[in-house]
Amino acid sequence: MSGSTATRARTREPFDRRIARAVQAVTGRALGPYQTAIVRIGFSLTWLVFLLRELPHRHEMYGPDGPWSWELASRLIADNRAFTVLMWSDGRLWFELVYGLAVLSTALLLVGWRTRAVSVVFMVGVLSLQNRSVFLGDGGDNVLHLAAIYLVLTRCGQVWSLDARRAEREAARRAAARAAGEAVEAERRDLVGPLLWTVLGGFLLATTWFSGVTGEWWLPVLLWVLWLGHGLWWLACRLAPGEPRTLLDVLANLTHNAALVVIMAEVCLIYATAGWYKIQGSRWQDGTALYYPLHLDYFSPWPALSEMLGSSGIMVLLLTYGTVIVQIAFPFTLFHRKVKNVLLVAMMLEHAGIAVLLGLPVFSLAMISADAVFLPTAFLVALGAKAARGRDRLWGRRSAGTLPEQRRTGEEHGPRTLVG
């Protein structure tokens, strides 16, 4: 009865009021804070594992000792205009600096330190190394390539980050001052942020200077827009905390939400195209497609396990058809939560199996990280709470009994918006 009453109330609500509420929901806050945080953690962990795993072979893969020489790379990049700062110099010192900054920025993005600035450095590192030797890698590199660009546009440090912890401590300091009846001090002066963005400004000047060999023109333009936008944000926070700050907050939320939708659409497109291409192949139609990779020495890190699985015709048939069905069906189940969650688990298990059976851990980690954007919020909140309790036990801390501010969605405080 109450459900029908609520439905009738929504029906009687004026159309303009419903539009205003929808606009407020989109502009008032950055949606999916836990989902974007887990995507940030997943992709940065994937890239960090790859960089550390290939550390002994970095010179052969991306550096001066590789079969794809600097001269060949410069000729290819002059044709395809791919972005990479490794074309600025063919020196070994410059390569070591770029690789080291890629590792450092990835580790900092993983823990969520200065995510707005570090995500830009992370993107530059991913694009520079991957575009230096485009013939290396697998499908996971393409996903990571796109995700590095999308993450720059998201507010991926709202939860589960050092940025969120710093904001939590600042809010606790202000609350304690109000409770004690003391005057609330202005926000503490931040020297690290301006210094970091000043350094990045120098890098942008170098990028503009080397624009002829760096790659497409749109990426340096994007970097300048991000740098100037953050400078405008910094000025508004200190000189105009009223309507100008609110307007910039709304624009940031819109950009974040649009990037989140693009990430979700990208995942759906990957699975839909993969499934429909598979269904056109004769080996996928007769249910024998998985038999062949399981019997390739190059993709058999555990030969006995691959042989055991590949020797069962029924298992090969079920896995082959199941893979196609899950990939094709997933985009059509997004609005049915229970079915979507079941297929999401199936896809993650599929990629875990690819990592173990075919020896493609980086590809699997990248795809699992992309799939994580669809994980339900309740599950992620519970996962974060368990991780916090495990951390407290490991470090001998006592739990306060409530979730810290950085593990909430931020909805309790009400969104600031120009609408409503």
Side-chain angles (χ1 to χ4, degrees):
M1 188 68 179
S2 60
S4 61
T5 303
T7 303
R8 286 196 300 269
R10 286 195 297 268
T11 304
R12 290 194 300 267
E13 187 178 16
F15 178 74
D16 58 343
R17 186 67 61 81
R18 283 182 283 173
I19 293 295
R21 191 174 68 248
V23 172
Q24 183 176 3
V26 175
T27 61
R29 61 190 176 94
L31 302 175
Y34 294 97
Q35 285 77 8
T36 49
I38 198 68
V39 168
R40 181 200 87 230
I41 293 171
F43 279 112
S44 56
L45 179 62
T46 301
W47 187 236
L48 183 62
V49 167
F50 175 79
L51 292 177
L52 295 180
R53 186 189 69 176
E54 303 300 339
L55 187 64
H57 315 290
R58 63 190 184 280
H59 296 132
E60 291 78 14
M61 295 181 65
Y62 302 113
D65 299 336
W68 191 251
S69 65
W70 189 87
E71 290 77 12
L72 289 175
S74 61
R75 290 170 58 184
L76 179 62
I77 289 171
D79 182 55
N80 63 16
R81 303 296 297 167
F83 177 87
T84 173
V85 300
L86 288 176
M87 290 296 100
W88 294 3
S89 171
D90 61 347
R92 186 178 297 268
L93 179 61
W94 175 243
F95 169 76
E96 296 290 358
L97 179 62
V98 172
Y99 199 93
L101 285 177
V103 174
L104 178 62
S105 62
T106 305
L108 293 177
L109 185 64
L110 178 64
V111 298
W113 184 83
R114 307 285 175 175
T115 51
R116 288 176 182 166
V118 170
S119 63
V120 177
V121 184
F122 171 77
M123 177 188 70
V124 171
V126 170
L127 299 185
S128 296
L129 290 174
Q130 289 188 352
N131 291 335
R132 168 62 176 81
S133 300
V134 295
F135 302 107
L136 295 176
D138 47 39
D141 288 354
N142 296 329
V143 178
L144 183 61
H145 193 103
L146 295 172
I149 300 175
Y150 300 150
L151 280 176
V152 171
L153 305 176
T154 64
R155 309 180 85 170
C156 56
Q158 297 179 100
V159 297
W160 298 340
S161 67
L162 296 180
D163 290 345
R165 182 175 293 275
R166 186 173 63 253
E168 172 197 350
R169 290 175 177 172
E170 179 66 21
R173 182 184 68 85
R174 290 171 173 269
R178 292 192 190 96
E182 302 174 356
V184 179
E185 300 179 4
E187 187 176 350
R188 294 178 179 177
R189 189 176 181 183
D190 180 21
L191 298 178
V192 178
L195 178 62
L196 182 59
W197 282 92
T198 301
V199 173
L200 292 180
F203 167 78
L204 282 177
L205 291 175
T207 302
T208 306
W209 179 264
F210 289 101
S211 59
V213 296
T214 297
E216 285 288 355
W217 62 268
W218 64 267
L219 202 89
V221 170
L222 173 63
L223 295 177
W224 274 112
V225 169
L226 292 171
W227 190 83
L228 294 173
H230 189 271
L232 185 62
W233 178 279
W234 185 84
L235 290 175
C237 290
R238 282 150 183 80
L239 304 178
E243 287 297 320
R245 164 69 187 274
T246 301
L247 176 61
L248 292 177
D249 206 22
V250 168
L251 293 177
N253 290 335
L254 283 173
T255 304
H256 167 95
N257 295 334
L260 185 62
V261 171
V262 171
I263 293 174
M264 298 169 71
E266 187 74 33
V267 176
C268 292
L269 184 62
I270 290 173
Y271 284 118
T273 53
W276 285 107
Y277 273 114
K278 284 183 176 68
I279 206 172
Q280 299 175 49
S282 59
R283 295 294 178 263
W284 291 95
Q285 292 175 8
D286 60 26
T288 61
L290 292 186
Y291 173 85
Y292 301 98
L294 290 175
H295 287 79
L296 291 176
D297 294 337
Y298 187 78
F299 292 105
S300 299
W302 310 97
L305 182 60
S306 299
E307 179 65 27
M308 181 182 66
L309 186 60
S311 62
S312 174
I314 297 297
M315 184 62 66
V316 170
L317 180 70
L318 292 176
L319 290 177
T320 301
Y321 284 156
T323 299
V324 176
I325 291 172
V326 168
Q327 291 183 350
I328 293 178
F330 178 74
F332 299 99
T333 63
L334 294 182
F335 298 101
H336 195 290
R337 183 174 302 176
K338 293 183 178 179
V339 178
K340 182 264 294 182
N341 290 338
V342 171
L343 293 185
L344 189 61
V345 172
M347 289 192 302
M348 289 184 170
L349 291 176
E350 172 192 338
H351 290 300
I354 291 175
V356 174
L357 293 173
L358 302 183
L360 298 172
V362 175
F363 167 77
S364 299
L365 275 175
M367 290 307 303
I368 291 174
S369 302
D371 295 341
V373 73
F374 293 104
L375 288 173
T377 301
F379 169 77
L380 291 175
V381 172
L383 182 64
K386 289 182 179 179
R389 287 195 295 268
R391 179 202 60 195
D392 293 340
R393 288 196 210 99
L394 182 63
W395 292 353
R397 293 179 178 177
R398 295 180 59 187
S399 176
T402 58
L403 288 176
E405 186 69 20
Q406 68 163 327
R407 286 191 284 271
R408 297 177 185 169
T409 61
E411 299 176 15
E412 301 90 339
H413 307 292
R416 295 196 309 163
T417 175
L418 299 176
V419 181

